[in-house]
């Protein structure tokens, strides 16, 4: 678990750095995808998934 937390924190740092410094390029997007897969494997995965599902349901229920 300690190794996966370190990897998640490193990838999170890289993703934030890439987005702030030089825009999001293909290699940066790959880092973000790997971060997402690592986060899904942690105990936060179901919480993040539930939050995204709730947000998608809320946006889908809005009528213009």
């Amino acid at each position: 678990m300690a190794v996966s937390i370190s990897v998640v924190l490193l990838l999170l740092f890289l993703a934030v750095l890439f987005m702030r410094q030089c825009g999001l390029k293909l290699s940066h997007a790959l880092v973000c995808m790997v971060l997402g897969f690592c986060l899904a494997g942690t105990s936060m995965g179901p919480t993040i998934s539930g939050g995204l599902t709730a947000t998608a349901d809320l946006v889908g229920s809005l009528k213009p």
Side-chain angles (χ1 to χ4, degrees), residues 1 3-6 9 11 14-17 22 26 28 33 35 42-43 47-49 51 55 61 63:
M1 184 65 169
V3 173
S4 66
I5 290 174
S6 299
L9 289 177
L11 291 172
L14 288 174
V16 170
L17 182 71
C22 52
L26 180 61
H28 305 154
M33 284 180 16
L35 173 63
T42 65
S43 60
T47 305
I48 294 170
S49 178
T55 303
S61 69
K63 304 290 182 203

Side-chain angles (χ1 to χ4, degrees), residues 8 11 15 20 22 25-26 30-31 35-36 41 47 49 52-53 56 58 62-64:
V8 167
L11 291 172
R20 286 184 171 255
C22 52
K25 298 177 183 170
L26 180 61
L30 291 175
V31 169
L35 173 63
T47 305
S49 178
L52 290 174
T53 302
L58 177 70
L62 296 176
K63 304 290 182 203

